[in-house]
Amino acid sequence: MDRVVQEIKAELGKNVDFLLKRDYLADTPVFLLGFNSLVDFIKTRTVLQKHAESIIFQDRSSEELWSAIGEMKEGDAKEAISSIYAGKLIINIENTNRYIIMEPVLKMLDRSIEPPSNENVILGPLISFTEDIDANIGMVRKQLNTDKFHLHSYSKGHNEKKKLSLLYIEGQADSEMVDNLHAHIQKNYNMEISDVQGLSKMLGFPSMEAVSKFNTTQLPLQAIQYLKKGRVILFVDQLPFALILPNLLWDMFAEDNDRNFPLPIMVAIRAIRVIGFLVTLISPGLYVALVSINPEVLQIQLALSVVESRQGVPYPALVEIMIMLVILELILEASVRLPKSIGPTITMVGGIILGQAAVEAKLVSNLLIIILAATTIANSTIVGVQNNVSIRLFKYAILFLAAIFGLLGIVAGMVLISAYLANLNTFGKSYLYINIKGDESNNG
């Protein structure tokens, strides 16, 4: 047995799905090496035999066979092992240290293209990205018929190799940002990127920022529109969504499916999202401020109605609203974790029963239930899961400031949040920037 085969067997032989098989190709003895769990050996061997028969029929040399089925290497067992882990088939020519790295027929381990599960499409294509990075790239390339489209792929990680792809349109994307991305990826070549936090760390983003540097989407059409507007897309193998850089404030109010509606309706939809953003941030703090600190702002009839609704409630407004907000966060988290068949039923019934019981027990007021329901509904109007979670966090800052300073605290909180967002940037692009390029005013 040749040295390369012995080294591969010593390294991978302890895996029960590792296959080492002796065979003949064009009357030449070879060893086939790969993982049974990744490679369909029966179909791959059929392909190899057809290549071999074609070479024999045309009376061509065996060297032409090797060059036709893959890339020839010599002596480097480490590269062969790395290729096997990546799902390739190694064909070692017996009594030599030469081997071929072949793209085999793989076992079907990926799901088919399906409708999006995290983003609802009213008017638009009902396809979404999958865990297969090559399929995701194919969906983007199929709809971008331009020679300006560029793709760079990297194999990242020391212990676990993970494929990473960078996509952009030349002339649209900021070349300095693309160069910075490429430099960070090359610099941190051995860092693990199994999740978005690992990717953020590799690119040098601060880990404690409340707003994600990435905007995410499951929709190929949405990703393509971002590319046309000068954004850069990152795909990570086994992550079924596109990561868009840079993430901007306007992304939580606008998506390109809106353009399938008439212009007045599109403007109205986006205005509703802006209102939802403000309601989510302000309404819990406004309730506490008007009940505890600045009741004189209310008209006398409204003030009396608020007092009547809180009659018998033993807790201050801040404690009252914090109890219900924590319960609401638990319900939202449970709705994500529970199976889809029972999740909506349990969370809806749980929310109604808990809310009604809390009011009847005089733990909270009726008005507070209305405020929290409005806040939750308004938060759901924001585009993007990442943005949705960030806004849920910011409302607590305004809530505590309102509990201390009243209406002035709400104003101060909005100023502080605005200053924080203005301070965010991604490779020199401000988070508050409306358009990356000046000619995008008609595309925004």
Side-chain angles (χ1 to χ4, degrees):
M1 192 177 291
D2 303 321
R3 178 183 60 83
V4 172
V5 176
Q6 290 176 344
E7 290 184 25
I8 296 174
K9 185 179 179 181
E11 178 71 24
L12 304 179
K14 57 183 177 292
N15 298 287
V16 294
D17 60 340
F18 174 69
L19 181 67
L20 170 59
K21 183 177 181 180
R22 193 170 185 268
D23 205 342
Y24 286 88
L25 288 178
D27 296 327
T28 303
V30 297
F31 288 103
L32 304 180
L33 302 96
F35 283 128
N36 235 334
S37 54
L38 298 177
V39 178
D40 191 327
F41 274 90
I42 296 175
K43 292 182 180 179
T44 302
R45 190 175 183 280
T46 302
V47 172
L48 287 172
Q49 291 299 335
K50 287 182 178 179
H51 275 295
E53 290 170 6
S54 174
I55 293 294
I56 294 172
F57 180 77
Q58 297 176 19
D59 195 24
R60 294 156 67 185
S61 67
S62 58
E63 291 296 328
E64 291 180 278
L65 171 62
W66 311 139
S67 61
I69 63 177
E71 183 182 3
M72 177 70 75
K73 298 286 183 179
E74 185 169 353
D76 189 357
K78 289 184 178 180
E79 185 173 356
I81 292 169
S82 178
S83 299
I84 291 173
Y85 276 124
K88 305 293 192 298
L89 178 69
I90 299 299
I91 305 172
N92 176 257
I93 304 170
E94 193 172 354
N95 299 322
T96 72
N97 282 325
R98 296 191 302 163
Y99 61 86
I100 298 100
I101 302 175
M102 177 190 174
E103 289 283 352
V105 178
L106 297 174
K107 290 192 173 180
M108 296 301 294
L109 303 175
D110 297 310
R111 63 185 173 93
S112 59
I113 297 172
E114 299 172 350
S117 58
N118 293 331
E119 297 177 66
N120 292 325
V121 180
I122 298 176
L123 294 173
L126 293 176
I127 59 173
S128 64
F129 293 123
T130 71
E131 289 79 9
D132 184 359
I133 190 171
D134 294 321
N136 294 340
I137 294 170
M139 280 187 267
V140 173
R141 188 179 287 280
K142 183 179 179 180
Q143 300 183 55
L144 270 180
N145 186 16
T146 173
D147 57 355
K148 300 293 185 181
F149 174 67
H150 290 280
L151 164 68
H152 299 289
S153 290
Y154 314 86
S155 182
K156 303 289 298 172
H158 179 67
N159 297 319
E160 177 189 359
K161 291 294 182 182
K162 185 79 75 172
K163 191 175 179 182
L164 171 69
S165 294
L166 170 66
L167 295 76
Y168 64 95
I169 296 179
E170 186 180 5
Q172 297 290 332
D174 188 324
S175 58
E176 185 179 349
M177 183 172 65
V178 173
D179 293 340
N180 281 333
L181 279 167
H182 182 71
H184 276 86
I185 293 171
Q186 294 293 349
K187 178 182 176 182
N188 302 302
Y189 196 76
N190 289 324
M191 289 185 66
E192 305 294 340
I193 51 168
S194 56
D195 49 41
V196 177
Q197 285 189 15
L199 183 60
S200 297
K201 186 177 180 181
M202 184 194 70
L203 296 178
F205 296 149
S207 58
M208 296 301 292
E209 286 189 345
V211 178
S212 175
K213 294 290 187 181
F214 302 101
N215 191 13
T216 61
T217 182
Q218 283 187 300
L219 307 176
L221 178 63
Q222 189 84 350
I224 289 165
Q225 293 301 324
Y226 279 123
L227 283 174
K228 291 178 179 178
K229 293 178 182 179
R231 310 287 183 95
V232 174
I233 286 180
L234 289 169
F235 282 123
V236 179
D237 199 16
Q238 299 307 309
L239 294 185
F241 47 82
L243 297 156
I244 295 106
L245 281 171
N247 183 26
L248 302 179
L249 177 68
W250 186 243
D251 293 341
M252 70 174 68
F253 308 124
E255 60 179 0
D256 280 278
N257 280 326
D258 299 340
R259 297 187 175 279
N260 292 318
F261 296 97
L263 181 62
I265 296 177
M266 183 192 78
V267 172
I269 290 171
R270 293 182 176 182
I272 288 171
R273 292 179 187 143
V274 174
I275 294 170
F277 169 81
L278 295 174
V279 169
T280 302
L281 277 180
I282 295 173
S283 58
L286 188 63
Y287 171 81
V288 173
L290 294 179
V291 168
S292 301
I293 310 298
N294 302 111
E296 69 278 1
V297 175
L298 299 172
Q299 290 185 347
I300 186 64
Q301 295 89 347
L302 185 56
L304 291 173
S305 177
V306 170
V307 170
E308 185 179 351
S309 72
R310 296 197 74 250
Q311 211 166 28
V313 176
Y315 305 114
L318 177 62
V319 175
E320 175 192 14
I321 199 169
M322 282 301 301
I323 291 172
M324 293 308 298
L325 279 174
V326 169
I327 293 173
L328 187 59
E329 296 291 350
L330 292 174
I331 292 173
L332 290 173
E333 188 63 20
S335 67
V336 176
R337 306 298 166 204
L338 286 170
K340 291 184 178 179
S341 57
I342 62 172
T345 303
I346 289 179
T347 52
M348 183 180 295
V349 172
I352 293 171
I353 291 174
L354 282 172
Q356 186 66 29
V359 171
E360 291 183 357
K362 297 295 183 181
L363 297 177
V364 298
S365 66
N366 286 311
L367 181 59
L368 176 60
I369 300 298
I370 297 171
I371 294 292
L372 293 183
T375 301
T376 306
I377 294 169
N379 193 53
S380 301
T381 63
I382 296 168
V383 177
V385 177
Q386 302 268 18
N387 297 323
N388 197 300
V389 176
S390 297
I391 300 307
R392 279 165 60 186
L393 181 64
F394 286 143
K395 73 172 181 274
Y396 289 100
I398 293 181
L399 175 63
F400 285 111
L401 286 170
I404 299 171
F405 302 108
L407 295 176
L408 183 60
I410 295 176
V411 175
M414 293 298 291
V415 170
L416 289 174
I417 290 173
S418 299
Y420 173 73
L421 296 179
N423 190 51
L424 296 176
N425 70 84
T426 306
F427 295 121
K429 299 297 180 185
S430 172
Y431 182 70
L432 299 185
Y433 201 56
I434 300 299
N435 293 317
I436 300 179
K437 296 172 73 65
D439 59 359
E440 285 180 23
S441 55
N442 295 326
N443 298 331

